[in-house]
Amino acid sequence: MAKEKIETLAVLDYLTLLPNRSGLYSFYSGLSIQEYVTAMFLDIDNFKRVNDTYGHQVGDELLKAVTKDLQEIVPDAYIARIGGDEFVILIIGQREKHEILEVAEEICDSVERLAVSPEVRSVISLSVGVLLNEKAETTIDDVLFKSDSAMYCSKKTGKNRYTFYEQIQEEMEFKAKVESSMQQAIEDNEFKIYFKPIMNIVRSRIEAVEASIRWFRKDGEIWSPGRFLSIMEKNGFVTVLERHAFERLCWMKDKYKDMECSHMPTGVNMSRKHLYRRSFVKELVGITEKYGVSPSEFVIEIAEIHGGDKEILQRTILELKKAGFGVAIDNFGAGYSSLALLTTTEADMLKLDENFLGTVQDGKSRDIIIENLIKMAKGLHMNLVVEGIKTKQQEQFLAGAGCELAEGVYYAGALNQEEFNKFYEEHKEADAKVVSYHFNGNLDDETGKNSGTVSGEIGYGKGIVDSVGSLKLPGGEQMTNVVHLPKTILGNESYSVSLWVKADRLNNWTSIIMANSNIGFASLIPYGWQKLSMFRIKDTRLDESGGWYDALGEEFYAKEWTHFCATYNSVTGLSRIYQNGRLVGSVDNTLALTNHKIVVLGGDYYKPSFQGEVSELSVYNCVLMENEVKKIYDHYAKDPTFRGKKQ
């Protein structure tokens, strides 16, 4: 009797009374080799933390609770505890995958109802590995190895989940396929350069491009980087591939050097592994010299890294910039995201990861974070590119938040050289044209071809600086004492209007410049709603209750020179207003106005005419960027004879 008891204890776990490892081996050896077995390898996540924090007694109670739940979930299965927090479930007989999926999901979800304290439940989760329908001719050691490997994959990918061995088996086979052919693929030139446009969403033009690679295999398959780069990153081959890709890109730039698009700023992704190679920057410089390409045409994109590597990153950035390359922190927000990192590096560009953007509907919190990231990047004098734009709605949100650069499938996917050349020609910006009036005793523009005409009385005075004059407007009734400008100066496309304004008297809602068409009007109002400046577009086909598009600025004061700039994008419908060199308001999806009937300086149809002065009026046939508007303001503000208020 004592002997039998000892033999029983030898195959049972003393705590849970489940079979132990010996019991499992014994049970498995009794199965027919033709029998199908599904093995589920289960591990309690953070079990050590429970023991360390709450004591071993609490840990033991947790093991008993897990045992009880497993017995309820799979009452007909063979369940064993083979280690401290490791359980194995054997389900005998061939099963459909969906049956086992349901079991695995229930096991993972069972944590919520475990008969333990809420504190313990909040700490733990269950990771499961599944080997489906394996014949018992497979050794128990192989069964445990495969199911354990699948369980480990669950832990590695985030815990609280299940993984089927067939998934990792496919991954291992694919990994072997990549590693066995990657070197030969370089020698056979199977890697091709593709291009992803980076768009200026304010101007609706292509601003830069990001280079990427595609693997055109001999077996006819075409692989995107997402399929093979992670494997090469782990085995270190990524540095070889990226050097090869960079050289190929330089070769292409040299080959197509007579084409305008070839000289666009080009983003090049480089693995963090390059940071630990002291020869990295020297190698890049050597390749550019070989093909006669300037480093200034490249922006080296390095993914955000561990805080502990900040010194290495900063050293590499400085070396790259000294050599003439631009530098971008790529995929910001996807990994270790440290705002402190941005303040200690001297990168030129920040690329916000597409997963960080999500959708505009994600709520105000995310919107506020993105808006502040945009402001922060500008404050650090970094260009910011938002990746992964998929919809017009996302673009409009970003434009309204002050973002200028974006990349994503909304504009184009990865393009080969021929496709990119065509895209560039369709989205490049035409040469900017400007009509400028200095008001030095006349209403002629710089060319003398776009002179204004007077309706009523006007005068001339000293402008914002000594080298230019001002147009003095005495005010009066509607559309009196105003200047009519040629309606052609605005055209039918995007435009920007820049001018300096000083009011002798604050007339509420009076336009300083208005363009009227047969369907509506656009009006720059220095002193409008709640004493704020505003760039207003109105659809006159609608009554007073609708059709108003107002980009609101800041308060406007009399007797003080103020610089205004209003911009209108005919493609996106985005309108912006700037005041003294700063972006102060915007409105998107505005009415598209074409075929202007009149352009009036100093008044409109609705309110008394403006009373005050105007200096340095310029009209552009494009949308000015924020830095360009600031440059206009600074040009005058830095003049020793400047009469305005400096910021």
PDB file of all heavy atoms in Angstrom, residues 174-185 188-192 214-224 227-228 232:
ATOM      1  N   PHE A 174      10.407  31.118 -43.517  1.00  0.00           N
ATOM      2  CA  PHE A 174      10.602  32.340 -44.289  1.00  0.00           C
ATOM      3  C   PHE A 174      11.950  32.976 -43.955  1.00  0.00           C
ATOM      4  O   PHE A 174      12.659  33.454 -44.837  1.00  0.00           O
ATOM      5  CB  PHE A 174       9.470  33.324 -44.020  1.00  0.00           C
ATOM      6  CG  PHE A 174       9.567  34.589 -44.807  1.00  0.00           C
ATOM      7  CD1 PHE A 174       9.245  34.615 -46.156  1.00  0.00           C
ATOM      8  CD2 PHE A 174       9.998  35.760 -44.209  1.00  0.00           C
ATOM      9  CE1 PHE A 174       9.349  35.781 -46.899  1.00  0.00           C
ATOM     10  CE2 PHE A 174      10.099  36.942 -44.941  1.00  0.00           C
ATOM     11  CZ  PHE A 174       9.774  36.946 -46.285  1.00  0.00           C
ATOM     12  N   LYS A 175      12.304  32.964 -42.666  1.00  0.00           N
ATOM     13  CA  LYS A 175      13.596  33.503 -42.236  1.00  0.00           C
ATOM     14  C   LYS A 175      14.745  32.785 -42.935  1.00  0.00           C
ATOM     15  O   LYS A 175      15.692  33.421 -43.418  1.00  0.00           O
ATOM     16  CB  LYS A 175      13.720  33.380 -40.716  1.00  0.00           C
ATOM     17  CG  LYS A 175      15.040  33.865 -40.135  1.00  0.00           C
ATOM     18  CD  LYS A 175      14.977  33.822 -38.609  1.00  0.00           C
ATOM     19  CE  LYS A 175      16.298  34.235 -37.979  1.00  0.00           C
ATOM     20  NZ  LYS A 175      17.350  33.248 -38.156  1.00  0.00           N
ATOM     21  N   ALA A 176      14.641  31.483 -42.996  1.00  0.00           N
ATOM     22  CA  ALA A 176      15.676  30.701 -43.670  1.00  0.00           C
ATOM     23  C   ALA A 176      15.739  31.039 -45.160  1.00  0.00           C
ATOM     24  O   ALA A 176      16.824  31.106 -45.759  1.00  0.00           O
ATOM     25  CB  ALA A 176      15.405  29.210 -43.478  1.00  0.00           C
ATOM     26  N   LYS A 177      14.580  31.285 -45.767  1.00  0.00           N
ATOM     27  CA  LYS A 177      14.507  31.640 -47.176  1.00  0.00           C
ATOM     28  C   LYS A 177      15.203  32.973 -47.441  1.00  0.00           C
ATOM     29  O   LYS A 177      15.930  33.135 -48.426  1.00  0.00           O
ATOM     30  CB  LYS A 177      13.046  31.709 -47.616  1.00  0.00           C
ATOM     31  CG  LYS A 177      12.828  31.911 -49.106  1.00  0.00           C
ATOM     32  CD  LYS A 177      11.334  31.874 -49.432  1.00  0.00           C
ATOM     33  CE  LYS A 177      11.094  32.033 -50.936  1.00  0.00           C
ATOM     34  NZ  LYS A 177       9.629  31.997 -51.243  1.00  0.00           N
ATOM     35  N   VAL A 178      14.988  33.933 -46.538  1.00  0.00           N
ATOM     36  CA  VAL A 178      15.624  35.242 -46.669  1.00  0.00           C
ATOM     37  C   VAL A 178      17.131  35.126 -46.504  1.00  0.00           C
ATOM     38  O   VAL A 178      17.921  35.611 -47.323  1.00  0.00           O
ATOM     39  CB  VAL A 178      15.055  36.233 -45.628  1.00  0.00           C
ATOM     40  CG1 VAL A 178      15.889  37.524 -45.590  1.00  0.00           C
ATOM     41  CG2 VAL A 178      13.604  36.568 -45.943  1.00  0.00           C
ATOM     42  N   GLU A 179      17.553  34.479 -45.437  1.00  0.00           N
ATOM     43  CA  GLU A 179      18.972  34.429 -45.108  1.00  0.00           C
ATOM     44  C   GLU A 179      19.783  33.625 -46.105  1.00  0.00           C
ATOM     45  O   GLU A 179      20.970  33.908 -46.315  1.00  0.00           O
ATOM     46  CB  GLU A 179      19.144  33.873 -43.691  1.00  0.00           C
ATOM     47  CG  GLU A 179      18.591  34.801 -42.622  1.00  0.00           C
ATOM     48  CD  GLU A 179      18.824  34.308 -41.212  1.00  0.00           C
ATOM     49  OE1 GLU A 179      18.908  33.080 -41.023  1.00  0.00           O
ATOM     50  OE2 GLU A 179      18.905  35.144 -40.296  1.00  0.00           O
ATOM     51  N   SER A 180      19.180  32.666 -46.743  1.00  0.00           N
ATOM     52  CA  SER A 180      19.915  31.844 -47.698  1.00  0.00           C
ATOM     53  C   SER A 180      20.128  32.541 -49.043  1.00  0.00           C
ATOM     54  O   SER A 180      20.958  32.102 -49.849  1.00  0.00           O
ATOM     55  CB  SER A 180      19.186  30.513 -47.925  1.00  0.00           C
ATOM     56  OG  SER A 180      17.911  30.742 -48.540  1.00  0.00           O
ATOM     57  N   SER A 181      19.393  33.640 -49.302  1.00  0.00           N
ATOM     58  CA  SER A 181      19.468  34.267 -50.624  1.00  0.00           C
ATOM     59  C   SER A 181      19.829  35.751 -50.600  1.00  0.00           C
ATOM     60  O   SER A 181      19.985  36.365 -51.654  1.00  0.00           O
ATOM     61  CB  SER A 181      18.129  34.099 -51.356  1.00  0.00           C
ATOM     62  OG  SER A 181      17.052  34.664 -50.613  1.00  0.00           O
ATOM     63  N   MET A 182      19.961  36.367 -49.419  1.00  0.00           N
ATOM     64  CA  MET A 182      20.113  37.819 -49.360  1.00  0.00           C
ATOM     65  C   MET A 182      21.428  38.323 -49.960  1.00  0.00           C
ATOM     66  O   MET A 182      21.452  39.350 -50.638  1.00  0.00           O
ATOM     67  CB  MET A 182      19.962  38.321 -47.915  1.00  0.00           C
ATOM     68  CG  MET A 182      20.895  37.709 -46.911  1.00  0.00           C
ATOM     69  SD  MET A 182      20.387  38.140 -45.208  1.00  0.00           S
ATOM     70  CE  MET A 182      21.746  37.377 -44.290  1.00  0.00           C
ATOM     71  N   GLN A 183      22.539  37.611 -49.725  1.00  0.00           N
ATOM     72  CA  GLN A 183      23.807  38.052 -50.284  1.00  0.00           C
ATOM     73  C   GLN A 183      23.811  37.935 -51.798  1.00  0.00           C
ATOM     74  O   GLN A 183      24.228  38.849 -52.508  1.00  0.00           O
ATOM     75  CB  GLN A 183      24.962  37.240 -49.690  1.00  0.00           C
ATOM     76  CG  GLN A 183      26.340  37.660 -50.202  1.00  0.00           C
ATOM     77  CD  GLN A 183      26.684  39.100 -49.888  1.00  0.00           C
ATOM     78  OE1 GLN A 183      26.616  39.540 -48.744  1.00  0.00           O
ATOM     79  NE2 GLN A 183      27.090  39.880 -50.911  1.00  0.00           N
ATOM     80  N   GLN A 184      23.304  36.824 -52.315  1.00  0.00           N
ATOM     81  CA  GLN A 184      23.267  36.616 -53.752  1.00  0.00           C
ATOM     82  C   GLN A 184      22.344  37.635 -54.418  1.00  0.00           C
ATOM     83  O   GLN A 184      22.586  38.068 -55.542  1.00  0.00           O
ATOM     84  CB  GLN A 184      22.797  35.184 -54.072  1.00  0.00           C
ATOM     85  CG  GLN A 184      22.954  34.783 -55.545  1.00  0.00           C
ATOM     86  CD  GLN A 184      24.383  34.781 -56.000  1.00  0.00           C
ATOM     87  OE1 GLN A 184      25.277  34.268 -55.320  1.00  0.00           O
ATOM     88  NE2 GLN A 184      24.654  35.388 -57.166  1.00  0.00           N
ATOM     89  N   ALA A 185      21.285  38.019 -53.697  1.00  0.00           N
ATOM     90  CA  ALA A 185      20.345  39.001 -54.233  1.00  0.00           C
ATOM     91  C   ALA A 185      21.017  40.344 -54.484  1.00  0.00           C
ATOM     92  O   ALA A 185      20.708  41.035 -55.459  1.00  0.00           O
ATOM     93  CB  ALA A 185      19.165  39.168 -53.276  1.00  0.00           C
ATOM     94  N   ASP A 188      23.160  40.009 -57.557  1.00  0.00           N
ATOM     95  CA  ASP A 188      22.341  39.934 -58.769  1.00  0.00           C
ATOM     96  C   ASP A 188      21.479  41.171 -58.974  1.00  0.00           C
ATOM     97  O   ASP A 188      20.626  41.204 -59.880  1.00  0.00           O
ATOM     98  CB  ASP A 188      21.451  38.691 -58.718  1.00  0.00           C
ATOM     99  CG  ASP A 188      22.245  37.390 -58.753  1.00  0.00           C
ATOM    100  OD1 ASP A 188      23.408  37.429 -59.164  1.00  0.00           O
ATOM    101  OD2 ASP A 188      21.690  36.349 -58.323  1.00  0.00           O
ATOM    102  N   ASN A 189      21.664  42.177 -58.126  1.00  0.00           N
ATOM    103  CA  ASN A 189      20.939  43.442 -58.235  1.00  0.00           C
ATOM    104  C   ASN A 189      19.416  43.252 -58.213  1.00  0.00           C
ATOM    105  O   ASN A 189      18.673  43.836 -59.001  1.00  0.00           O
ATOM    106  CB  ASN A 189      21.341  44.197 -59.510  1.00  0.00           C
ATOM    107  CG  ASN A 189      21.017  45.678 -59.451  1.00  0.00           C
ATOM    108  OD1 ASN A 189      20.996  46.283 -58.370  1.00  0.00           O
ATOM    109  ND2 ASN A 189      20.719  46.268 -60.601  1.00  0.00           N
ATOM    110  N   GLU A 190      18.945  42.430 -57.260  1.00  0.00           N
ATOM    111  CA  GLU A 190      17.513  42.174 -57.138  1.00  0.00           C
ATOM    112  C   GLU A 190      16.782  43.250 -56.332  1.00  0.00           C
ATOM    113  O   GLU A 190      15.554  43.318 -56.346  1.00  0.00           O
ATOM    114  CB  GLU A 190      17.275  40.802 -56.485  1.00  0.00           C
ATOM    115  CG  GLU A 190      17.719  39.627 -57.346  1.00  0.00           C
ATOM    116  CD  GLU A 190      17.468  38.284 -56.688  1.00  0.00           C
ATOM    117  OE1 GLU A 190      16.749  38.250 -55.657  1.00  0.00           O
ATOM    118  OE2 GLU A 190      17.979  37.264 -57.182  1.00  0.00           O
ATOM    119  N   PHE A 191      17.519  44.099 -55.616  1.00  0.00           N
ATOM    120  CA  PHE A 191      16.910  45.155 -54.820  1.00  0.00           C
ATOM    121  C   PHE A 191      16.766  46.425 -55.664  1.00  0.00           C
ATOM    122  O   PHE A 191      17.742  46.934 -56.217  1.00  0.00           O
ATOM    123  CB  PHE A 191      17.734  45.449 -53.562  1.00  0.00           C
ATOM    124  CG  PHE A 191      17.770  44.294 -52.598  1.00  0.00           C
ATOM    125  CD1 PHE A 191      18.857  43.432 -52.561  1.00  0.00           C
ATOM    126  CD2 PHE A 191      16.706  44.065 -51.745  1.00  0.00           C
ATOM    127  CE1 PHE A 191      18.894  42.368 -51.681  1.00  0.00           C
ATOM    128  CE2 PHE A 191      16.729  42.993 -50.861  1.00  0.00           C
ATOM    129  CZ  PHE A 191      17.824  42.136 -50.826  1.00  0.00           C
ATOM    130  N   LYS A 192      15.544  46.944 -55.754  1.00  0.00           N
ATOM    131  CA  LYS A 192      15.254  48.119 -56.574  1.00  0.00           C
ATOM    132  C   LYS A 192      14.832  49.292 -55.682  1.00  0.00           C
ATOM    133  O   LYS A 192      14.181  49.099 -54.662  1.00  0.00           O
ATOM    134  CB  LYS A 192      14.134  47.818 -57.583  1.00  0.00           C
ATOM    135  CG  LYS A 192      14.372  46.570 -58.437  1.00  0.00           C
ATOM    136  CD  LYS A 192      15.603  46.686 -59.310  1.00  0.00           C
ATOM    137  CE  LYS A 192      15.778  45.435 -60.174  1.00  0.00           C
ATOM    138  NZ  LYS A 192      17.058  45.498 -60.969  1.00  0.00           N
ATOM    139  N   ARG A 214      12.576  47.584 -52.747  1.00  0.00           N
ATOM    140  CA  ARG A 214      11.746  46.419 -53.025  1.00  0.00           C
ATOM    141  C   ARG A 214      12.668  45.301 -53.480  1.00  0.00           C
ATOM    142  O   ARG A 214      13.647  45.529 -54.187  1.00  0.00           O
ATOM    143  CB  ARG A 214      10.703  46.718 -54.108  1.00  0.00           C
ATOM    144  CG  ARG A 214       9.676  47.780 -53.716  1.00  0.00           C
ATOM    145  CD  ARG A 214       8.753  47.297 -52.640  1.00  0.00           C
ATOM    146  NE  ARG A 214       7.702  48.262 -52.319  1.00  0.00           N
ATOM    147  CZ  ARG A 214       7.853  49.227 -51.435  1.00  0.00           C
ATOM    148  NH1 ARG A 214       9.015  49.374 -50.789  1.00  0.00           N
ATOM    149  NH2 ARG A 214       6.856  50.051 -51.174  1.00  0.00           N
ATOM    150  N   TRP A 215      12.329  44.086 -53.082  1.00  0.00           N
ATOM    151  CA  TRP A 215      13.137  42.924 -53.444  1.00  0.00           C
ATOM    152  C   TRP A 215      12.429  42.187 -54.569  1.00  0.00           C
ATOM    153  O   TRP A 215      11.415  41.520 -54.365  1.00  0.00           O
ATOM    154  CB  TRP A 215      13.333  42.028 -52.241  1.00  0.00           C
ATOM    155  CG  TRP A 215      14.321  40.905 -52.429  1.00  0.00           C
ATOM    156  CD1 TRP A 215      14.838  40.451 -53.608  1.00  0.00           C
ATOM    157  CD2 TRP A 215      14.886  40.073 -51.400  1.00  0.00           C
ATOM    158  NE1 TRP A 215      15.705  39.414 -53.400  1.00  0.00           N
ATOM    159  CE2 TRP A 215      15.752  39.146 -52.048  1.00  0.00           C
ATOM    160  CE3 TRP A 215      14.743  40.029 -50.025  1.00  0.00           C
ATOM    161  CZ2 TRP A 215      16.467  38.198 -51.324  1.00  0.00           C
ATOM    162  CZ3 TRP A 215      15.473  39.073 -49.308  1.00  0.00           C
ATOM    163  CH2 TRP A 215      16.312  38.169 -49.959  1.00  0.00           C
ATOM    164  N   PHE A 216      12.956  42.287 -55.780  1.00  0.00           N
ATOM    165  CA  PHE A 216      12.430  41.589 -56.956  1.00  0.00           C
ATOM    166  C   PHE A 216      13.165  40.252 -57.092  1.00  0.00           C
ATOM    167  O   PHE A 216      14.235  40.158 -57.678  1.00  0.00           O
ATOM    168  CB  PHE A 216      12.613  42.448 -58.213  1.00  0.00           C
ATOM    169  CG  PHE A 216      11.641  43.584 -58.318  1.00  0.00           C
ATOM    170  CD1 PHE A 216      11.741  44.676 -57.484  1.00  0.00           C
ATOM    171  CD2 PHE A 216      10.605  43.546 -59.242  1.00  0.00           C
ATOM    172  CE1 PHE A 216      10.839  45.723 -57.575  1.00  0.00           C
ATOM    173  CE2 PHE A 216       9.696  44.582 -59.340  1.00  0.00           C
ATOM    174  CZ  PHE A 216       9.815  45.677 -58.501  1.00  0.00           C
ATOM    175  N   ARG A 217      12.580  39.217 -56.547  1.00  0.00           N
ATOM    176  CA  ARG A 217      13.230  37.913 -56.480  1.00  0.00           C
ATOM    177  C   ARG A 217      13.172  37.158 -57.799  1.00  0.00           C
ATOM    178  O   ARG A 217      12.276  37.362 -58.626  1.00  0.00           O
ATOM    179  CB  ARG A 217      12.581  37.088 -55.366  1.00  0.00           C
ATOM    180  CG  ARG A 217      12.816  37.667 -53.972  1.00  0.00           C
ATOM    181  CD  ARG A 217      12.094  36.861 -52.918  1.00  0.00           C
ATOM    182  NE  ARG A 217      12.396  35.445 -53.000  1.00  0.00           N
ATOM    183  CZ  ARG A 217      13.479  34.871 -52.494  1.00  0.00           C
ATOM    184  NH1 ARG A 217      14.371  35.605 -51.848  1.00  0.00           N
ATOM    185  NH2 ARG A 217      13.677  33.570 -52.603  1.00  0.00           N
ATOM    186  N   LYS A 218      14.122  36.260 -57.945  1.00  0.00           N
ATOM    187  CA  LYS A 218      14.192  35.467 -59.177  1.00  0.00           C
ATOM    188  C   LYS A 218      12.992  34.537 -59.341  1.00  0.00           C
ATOM    189  O   LYS A 218      12.653  34.151 -60.460  1.00  0.00           O
ATOM    190  CB  LYS A 218      15.488  34.646 -59.199  1.00  0.00           C
ATOM    191  CG  LYS A 218      16.730  35.495 -59.456  1.00  0.00           C
ATOM    192  CD  LYS A 218      17.964  34.615 -59.527  1.00  0.00           C
ATOM    193  CE  LYS A 218      19.197  35.463 -59.857  1.00  0.00           C
ATOM    194  NZ  LYS A 218      20.422  34.636 -59.886  1.00  0.00           N
ATOM    195  N   ASP A 219      12.353  34.189 -58.212  1.00  0.00           N
ATOM    196  CA  ASP A 219      11.187  33.312 -58.292  1.00  0.00           C
ATOM    197  C   ASP A 219       9.920  34.064 -58.698  1.00  0.00           C
ATOM    198  O   ASP A 219       8.835  33.476 -58.737  1.00  0.00           O
ATOM    199  CB  ASP A 219      10.960  32.572 -56.980  1.00  0.00           C
ATOM    200  CG  ASP A 219      10.776  33.527 -55.779  1.00  0.00           C
ATOM    201  OD1 ASP A 219      10.570  34.735 -55.997  1.00  0.00           O
ATOM    202  OD2 ASP A 219      10.841  33.042 -54.627  1.00  0.00           O
ATOM    203  N   GLY A 220      10.070  35.372 -58.989  1.00  0.00           N
ATOM    204  CA  GLY A 220       8.936  36.172 -59.439  1.00  0.00           C
ATOM    205  C   GLY A 220       8.224  36.947 -58.346  1.00  0.00           C
ATOM    206  O   GLY A 220       7.395  37.817 -58.631  1.00  0.00           O
ATOM    207  N   GLU A 221       8.514  36.654 -57.080  1.00  0.00           N
ATOM    208  CA  GLU A 221       7.888  37.376 -55.976  1.00  0.00           C
ATOM    209  C   GLU A 221       8.518  38.756 -55.823  1.00  0.00           C
ATOM    210  O   GLU A 221       9.710  38.956 -56.092  1.00  0.00           O
ATOM    211  CB  GLU A 221       8.030  36.599 -54.670  1.00  0.00           C
ATOM    212  CG  GLU A 221       7.244  35.304 -54.609  1.00  0.00           C
ATOM    213  CD  GLU A 221       7.283  34.691 -53.216  1.00  0.00           C
ATOM    214  OE1 GLU A 221       6.683  35.276 -52.309  1.00  0.00           O
ATOM    215  OE2 GLU A 221       7.925  33.641 -53.053  1.00  0.00           O
ATOM    216  N   ILE A 222       7.689  39.719 -55.382  1.00  0.00           N
ATOM    217  CA  ILE A 222       8.164  41.064 -55.084  1.00  0.00           C
ATOM    218  C   ILE A 222       7.877  41.330 -53.612  1.00  0.00           C
ATOM    219  O   ILE A 222       6.716  41.331 -53.182  1.00  0.00           O
ATOM    220  CB  ILE A 222       7.479  42.129 -55.969  1.00  0.00           C
ATOM    221  CG1 ILE A 222       7.706  41.810 -57.450  1.00  0.00           C
ATOM    222  CG2 ILE A 222       8.014  43.521 -55.631  1.00  0.00           C
ATOM    223  CD1 ILE A 222       6.940  42.720 -58.392  1.00  0.00           C
ATOM    224  N   TRP A 223       8.929  41.568 -52.835  1.00  0.00           N
ATOM    225  CA  TRP A 223       8.779  41.761 -51.400  1.00  0.00           C
ATOM    226  C   TRP A 223       8.982  43.218 -51.018  1.00  0.00           C
ATOM    227  O   TRP A 223       9.968  43.860 -51.429  1.00  0.00           O
ATOM    228  CB  TRP A 223       9.792  40.905 -50.638  1.00  0.00           C
ATOM    229  CG  TRP A 223       9.535  39.430 -50.716  1.00  0.00           C
ATOM    230  CD1 TRP A 223       8.441  38.808 -51.248  1.00  0.00           C
ATOM    231  CD2 TRP A 223      10.395  38.397 -50.254  1.00  0.00           C
ATOM    232  NE1 TRP A 223       8.554  37.443 -51.125  1.00  0.00           N
ATOM    233  CE2 TRP A 223       9.752  37.158 -50.518  1.00  0.00           C
ATOM    234  CE3 TRP A 223      11.639  38.382 -49.636  1.00  0.00           C
ATOM    235  CZ2 TRP A 223      10.334  35.931 -50.200  1.00  0.00           C
ATOM    236  CZ3 TRP A 223      12.210  37.165 -49.309  1.00  0.00           C
ATOM    237  CH2 TRP A 223      11.559  35.948 -49.591  1.00  0.00           C
ATOM    238  N   SER A 224       8.065  43.747 -50.216  1.00  0.00           N
ATOM    239  CA  SER A 224       8.236  45.078 -49.645  1.00  0.00           C
ATOM    240  C   SER A 224       9.173  44.986 -48.446  1.00  0.00           C
ATOM    241  O   SER A 224       9.381  43.892 -47.895  1.00  0.00           O
ATOM    242  CB  SER A 224       6.886  45.653 -49.214  1.00  0.00           C
ATOM    243  OG  SER A 224       6.301  44.845 -48.216  1.00  0.00           O
ATOM    244  N   ARG A 227       8.642  42.833 -45.155  1.00  0.00           N
ATOM    245  CA  ARG A 227       8.736  41.372 -45.139  1.00  0.00           C
ATOM    246  C   ARG A 227      10.122  40.888 -44.738  1.00  0.00           C
ATOM    247  O   ARG A 227      10.242  39.819 -44.154  1.00  0.00           O
ATOM    248  CB  ARG A 227       8.359  40.795 -46.502  1.00  0.00           C
ATOM    249  CG  ARG A 227       6.915  41.012 -46.908  1.00  0.00           C
ATOM    250  CD  ARG A 227       6.497  40.025 -47.977  1.00  0.00           C
ATOM    251  NE  ARG A 227       6.483  38.659 -47.484  1.00  0.00           N
ATOM    252  CZ  ARG A 227       6.304  37.580 -48.246  1.00  0.00           C
ATOM    253  NH1 ARG A 227       6.138  37.729 -49.554  1.00  0.00           N
ATOM    254  NH2 ARG A 227       6.313  36.365 -47.721  1.00  0.00           N
ATOM    255  N   PHE A 228      11.171  41.634 -45.061  1.00  0.00           N
ATOM    256  CA  PHE A 228      12.512  41.094 -44.864  1.00  0.00           C
ATOM    257  C   PHE A 228      13.436  41.946 -43.997  1.00  0.00           C
ATOM    258  O   PHE A 228      14.430  41.427 -43.469  1.00  0.00           O
ATOM    259  CB  PHE A 228      13.189  40.852 -46.212  1.00  0.00           C
ATOM    260  CG  PHE A 228      13.294  42.077 -47.092  1.00  0.00           C
ATOM    261  CD1 PHE A 228      14.321  42.991 -46.951  1.00  0.00           C
ATOM    262  CD2 PHE A 228      12.359  42.306 -48.075  1.00  0.00           C
ATOM    263  CE1 PHE A 228      14.415  44.115 -47.762  1.00  0.00           C
ATOM    264  CE2 PHE A 228      12.438  43.424 -48.896  1.00  0.00           C
ATOM    265  CZ  PHE A 228      13.476  44.332 -48.736  1.00  0.00           C
ATOM    266  N   MET A 232      16.770  40.974 -41.411  1.00  0.00           N
ATOM    267  CA  MET A 232      18.121  41.473 -41.655  1.00  0.00           C
ATOM    268  C   MET A 232      18.605  42.360 -40.516  1.00  0.00           C
ATOM    269  O   MET A 232      19.797  42.439 -40.248  1.00  0.00           O
ATOM    270  CB  MET A 232      18.162  42.231 -42.984  1.00  0.00           C
ATOM    271  CG  MET A 232      17.894  41.364 -44.190  1.00  0.00           C
ATOM    272  SD  MET A 232      18.016  42.319 -45.730  1.00  0.00           S
ATOM    273  CE  MET A 232      17.616  41.043 -46.949  1.00  0.00           C
TER     274      MET A 232
END
